[in-house]
Amino acid sequence: MIGLPLDDASPRTKKYTSVGAASLIIFLIVFFSTNLFEYTKIFFTTIPKDDSNICPVGKPIAPASFYKDNSTVLTILNNEEYREKSIKRLSGAIQIDTQIFDNQPDVDESPKTWEKFENFHKYLKKTFPLVYEQIEVETVNTYGLIYTWKGSAKKLKPILLTAHQDTVPVQNETLDKWTFPPFEGHYDGKFIYGRGAADCKNVLIAILETLELLVIQGYKPERTIVAAFGFDEESSGLRGASRIAEVLENKWGKDSFYAVVDEGAGLSKDPITKTVFANPGTGEKGYIDILVDLTTPGGHSSIPPDHTSIGIVSELGYLIEKDPFEPILTPENPIFEYFQCLAVHDPKNKIPKFFKKTILRAAYDKFANAKLVEAISKNRITKYLIRTSQALDIINGGVKANALPENTKLLVNHRIAIESNVADTIKHFNKRVIEVAKEHNLKVVSFNETVYEPKEYNGAGVFNIYSTHGGLESAPVTPSNDTVWKYLSGVTRHVFEDLVFTNISYPIVSSPSIMTGNTDTRYYWNLTRNIFRYSPFYVESFIAGMGIHSVDERLEFDGHLQLHAWFYEYLQAIDTAKADN
Ligand SMILES: *[C@@H]1O[C@H](CO)[C@@H](O)[C@H](O)[C@H]1NC(C)=O
Ligand SMILES: *[C@@H]1O[C@H](CO)[C@@H](O)[C@H](O)[C@H]1NC(C)=O
Ligand SMILES: *[C@@H]1O[C@H](CO)[C@@H](O)[C@H](O)[C@H]1NC(C)=O
Ligand SMILES: *[C@@H]1O[C@H](CO)[C@@H](O)[C@H](O)[C@H]1NC(C)=O
Ligand SMILES: *[C@@H]1O[C@H](CO)[C@@H](O)[C@H](O)[C@H]1NC(C)=O
Ligand SMILES: *[C@@H]1O[C@H](CO)[C@@H](O)[C@H](O)[C@H]1NC(C)=O
Ligand SMILES: [Zn+2]
């Protein structure tokens, strides 16, 4: 008999009657012709104990200073007077308008456009006088900021903390919907409101508050601390972070930093396990806007062809939406690791055992992988973590009621899956355009290369496919099995278990995750493999809770102090060669 896993589990010795044999044969046919065999394999998978090498949880890590005197970090978190002062500092930062818009001219071209950042710089200098006195501050492209606090140990790679000064605009039509005006920085006893409160003046202020405090205490770092703030993250970062990265790479070299900690998700209650998880972003999807421009002969609309350029591009749009990108989930994707973490750290037993086993087999078992993909794809928020997204965002065509549209243009926005790339995305796009072109006898030029030409081209028209930017590959994935990760997650355990949620009964697990959006970190890839999009503070739901880019952007102030406390402990904890890989 074929050795089924079933046999090991329940050996049988009983002789079969002929009826029994017949039913056994039927059973075997059903077993192998349906998914029953696949389900059985999952069923007999064992769930490893916590100490396995799947999503291991390191020890909490506190800096030595904490054991000598824990009063400063406790003051940050719990002292009323300190809280009041901190509210004032963040509120003041929100009150200074640093909105930016798309397609702003360069700083040199139009200094006036960017002048408002001057006010922001003045505010920072006034609010953090000791930072400006004792730490080297330089500007890049006028409004980019780099703070360098030289450490005594040249051998230790510097740490880079980043945030951005700019915010997205407040749309005038929404002004009356805000509970408190967006540039007032109002604190209502629990939340601080305003544009930038959560994205991400909170991070910028928490970093400077931490540096100011360390300077006041006469701290002497061994590891150099660098902080850098761009000023156009919300419109591609080309003028800010991109130039800052150049300066940093020239000064320090490639792969010269210990880690980069930029804005990102933090801690929240996991919707599946209902326990607190930390989710440092260790990856980031790629990005490309692909435009397709169809030019056809014009003419009078009283004698139209069967299909105008608008009709043909509409057909293309229909085809694109009918054919979404396939999901793909491999161990390369941080989301894969995230699910593995859930499977082995579920103290409240919220995940059905069978689903846990499915997750655990998903690395090498096609059937289990498909089941997991199916589950992830059911939810719109998680669905796009494992596939390239496509969104038809702009369409233009036609100018006049009695003239045929000579030109129609479509822009499709793509966020590229971790396992895919820009070239594959373009290839996929070309294929659909060629399909439509064949039907209408059109030429296709893609990125300046003719990719389709009809046999008997009669001048019916040309599709031109291009992008206004080069496209961005998905980010190199940050390791989550090294010492740098151990310190990042260890300090998180320390701050949130020892100081914030003091009566929590399970370890706070850090699990890798990805951002579907892009941040300034895209410019910092050359500086280190260890890039974290991570703002460790607790919010019940990262997506719903903060009104990011929207009306009533707000931040629960406790969260701000947690972030500040985390930076304070983290900078000291990694200030040793032991924290290096
Ligand atoms: C802070 O230090 C004091 C004095 O050593 C100690 O009693 C207290 O338990 C510490 N608090 C925390 C949260 O570790
Ligand atoms: C809102 O209105 C103000 C004043 O009228 C104007 O300066 C600003 O550009 C407008 N903002 C947006 C986003 O349209
Ligand atoms: C490629 O095409 C774009 C527009 O589609 C054009 O601006 C650019 O000059 C072309 N590049 C080359 C090398 O021909
Ligand atoms: C981490 O995992 C990667 C990929 O499996 C491996 O190549 C690397 O050696 C591991 N690093 C450490 C420090 O264990
Ligand atoms: C922790 O304990 C306090 C006091 O015993 C209680 O009020 C609070 O709800 C507990 N918090 C959690 C998260 O269990
Ligand atoms: C990173 O280094 C490569 C190779 O030297 C260079 O081409 C690229 O421009 C650098 N990337 C950034 C974002 O600076
Ligand atoms: Zn941001």
Side-chain angles (χ1 to χ4, degrees):
M1 222 174 93
I2 307 161
L4 300 178
L6 207 55
D7 296 337
D8 303 337
S10 54
R12 300 193 181 169
T13 48
K14 191 178 130 210
K15 288 224 159 71
Y16 298 107
T17 62
S18 60
V19 174
S23 48
L24 178 68
I25 288 167
I26 292 170
F27 169 76
L28 288 177
I29 290 170
V30 171
F31 192 74
F32 286 105
S33 63
T34 64
N35 284 329
L36 219 56
F37 182 47
E38 304 293 344
Y39 280 114
T40 310
K41 283 196 285 190
I42 294 175
F43 185 79
F44 283 101
T45 301
T46 50
I47 299 173
K49 294 270 182 307
D50 277 359
D51 58 359
S52 82
N53 57 6
I54 293 175
C55 193
V57 179
K59 291 196 179 65
I61 297 175
S65 69
F66 177 78
Y67 298 109
K68 283 201 204 101
D69 176 3
N70 59 27
S71 64
T72 306
V73 71
L74 289 174
T75 297
I76 295 173
L77 286 166
N78 304 322
N79 181 283
E80 260 321 301
E81 207 178 311
Y82 192 82
R83 182 189 182 90
E84 290 302 320
K85 284 187 190 149
S86 182
I87 290 167
K88 265 215 179 113
R89 290 189 284 256
L90 180 54
S91 170
I94 293 167
Q95 286 168 39
I96 296 164
D97 172 2
T98 56
Q99 302 173 89
I100 66 154
F101 302 84
D102 281 340
N103 307 317
Q104 288 196 182
D106 277 331
V107 181
D108 295 340
E109 250 171 69
S110 174
K112 259 218 125 43
T113 310
W114 299 92
E115 237 172 19
K116 53 182 161 191
F117 285 91
E118 201 71 54
N119 300 332
F120 194 66
H121 287 198
K122 276 191 197 136
Y123 175 75
L124 296 181
K125 195 167 175 182
K126 189 184 83 194
T127 310
F128 304 103
L130 296 176
V131 166
Y132 278 75
E133 206 180 289
Q134 305 211 5
I135 296 179
E136 182 195 325
V137 184
E138 59 188 305
T139 56
V140 176
N141 197 16
T142 316
Y143 297 117
L145 285 167
I146 301 179
Y147 302 76
T148 307
W149 193 356
K150 274 261 163 61
S152 56
K154 281 220 170 68
K155 265 197 232 146
L156 298 183
K157 289 178 170 184
I159 172 79
L160 176 59
L161 306 178
T162 58
H164 55 89
Q165 305 168 54
D166 57 300
T167 70
V168 292
V170 172
Q171 293 177 27
N172 283 338
E173 313 81 70
T174 65
L175 270 174
D176 59 339
K177 299 209 178 77
W178 284 72
T179 311
F180 301 102
F183 297 102
E184 200 175 273
H186 183 84
Y187 176 65
D188 73 352
K190 186 169 183 192
F191 292 93
I192 189 158
Y193 286 76
R195 183 55 85 229
D199 181 14
C200 64
K201 285 180 173 167
N202 57 326
V203 180
L204 188 150
I205 294 297
I207 292 170
L208 290 178
E209 283 178 316
T210 303
L211 297 185
E212 182 85 1
L213 196 50
L214 287 169
V215 173
I216 289 172
Q217 296 181 324
Y219 189 69
K220 299 270 181 279
E222 287 184 33
R223 186 188 298 283
T224 295
I225 299 168
V226 180
F229 308 138
F231 59 97
D232 65 340
E233 192 273 347
E234 300 292 2
S235 112
S236 83
L238 268 177
R239 302 181 177 88
S242 148
R243 303 281 293 272
I244 288 172
E246 236 170 76
V247 170
L248 292 177
E249 192 179 329
N250 282 339
K251 177 168 175 183
W252 298 95
K254 271 201 182 0
D255 198 25
S256 55
F257 280 81
Y258 171 79
V260 173
V261 182
D262 192 31
E263 60 172 331
L267 293 88
S268 56
K269 191 171 276 175
D270 188 86
I272 304 172
T273 61
K274 311 287 182 206
T275 51
V276 178
F277 262 83
N279 295 115
T282 55
E284 200 171 275
K285 290 177 83 179
Y287 184 109
I288 188 170
D289 291 321
I290 303 181
L291 291 99
V292 58
D293 198 329
L294 174 60
T295 307
T296 52
H300 200 279
S301 48
S302 59
I303 43 163
D306 289 348
H307 303 283
T308 68
S309 65
I310 292 179
I312 296 169
V313 170
S314 305
E315 187 182 333
L316 174 63
Y318 170 77
L319 200 74
I320 290 172
E321 291 200 333
K322 222 176 72 174
D323 175 28
F325 284 81
E326 291 294 322
I328 172 165
L329 181 62
T330 70
E332 205 187 318
N333 189 335
I335 292 308
F336 183 87
E337 240 177 296
Y338 164 75
F339 275 94
Q340 299 250 313
C341 286
L342 295 186
V344 293
H345 303 290
D346 176 26
K348 299 187 179 175
N349 268 318
K350 295 286 181 189
I351 305 178
K353 266 216 174 98
F354 191 78
F355 188 51
K356 276 183 198 169
K357 294 174 179 180
T358 305
I359 294 171
L360 292 168
R361 290 185 69 88
Y364 52 87
D365 176 333
K366 253 186 163 167
F367 180 78
N369 189 286
K371 285 284 150 204
L372 178 56
V373 163
E374 194 184 308
I376 295 173
S377 301
K378 276 191 185 138
N379 178 331
R380 188 148 68 98
I381 292 168
T382 51
K383 178 176 172 179
Y384 288 107
L385 299 174
I386 58 165
R387 77 182 75 209
T388 300
S389 67
Q390 53 179 15
L392 278 60
D393 280 341
I394 302 177
I395 188 162
N396 287 309
V399 286
K400 211 166 173 310
N402 63 358
L404 295 171
E406 292 176 309
N407 185 278
T408 300
K409 183 154 56 176
L410 173 68
L411 179 150
V412 184
N413 173 269
H414 299 84
R415 310 295 172 117
I416 303 167
I418 299 288
E419 291 92 343
S420 183
N421 57 46
V422 171
D424 282 351
T425 308
I426 292 172
K427 223 156 86 193
H428 190 89
F429 194 88
N430 286 351
K431 225 170 94 188
R432 293 145 155 174
V433 177
I434 290 170
E435 197 179 326
V436 175
K438 278 184 178 160
E439 211 173 300
H440 297 280
N441 215 42
L442 302 161
K443 256 197 231 183
V444 182
V445 177
S446 178
F447 292 81
N448 296 345
E449 193 192 323
T450 302
V451 291
Y452 178 73
E453 189 154 12
K455 281 216 181 73
E456 289 167 34
Y457 181 62
N458 58 7
V462 181
F463 274 118
N464 187 23
I465 302 168
Y466 61 102
S467 177
T468 50
H469 56 90
L472 177 68
E473 299 294 358
S474 57
V477 176
T478 301
S480 55
N481 60 350
D482 60 5
T483 310
V484 173
W485 171 266
K486 216 162 84 187
Y487 270 73
L488 189 94
S489 52
V491 172
T492 300
R493 279 198 69 183
H494 155 59
V495 171
F496 288 87
E497 291 176 34
D498 297 343
L499 304 169
V500 178
F501 301 117
T502 47
N503 48 6
I504 220 162
S505 60
Y506 51 84
I508 292 178
V509 178
S510 290
S511 81
S513 74
I514 60 172
M515 308 268 289
T516 48
N518 298 108
T519 65
D520 272 342
T521 53
R522 79 187 84 169
Y523 300 108
Y524 299 138
W525 294 355
N526 284 345
L527 300 179
T528 175
R529 272 297 301 278
N530 302 94
I531 297 181
F532 303 98
R533 299 127 188 111
Y534 186 43
S535 301
F537 62 87
Y538 178 79
V539 56
E540 182 137 334
S541 159
F542 181 69
I543 292 159
M546 299 191 286
I548 285 175
H549 289 202
S550 175
V551 167
D552 269 352
E553 181 174 341
R554 67 197 173 280
L555 177 75
E556 192 170 342
F557 205 76
D558 286 348
H560 179 70
L561 298 171
Q562 290 161 13
L563 182 62
H564 179 9
W566 187 88
F567 280 130
Y568 182 77
E569 297 294 82
Y570 181 67
L571 286 179
Q572 295 180 82
I574 62 168
D575 200 15
T576 160
K578 276 196 276 182
D580 283 316
N581 277 331

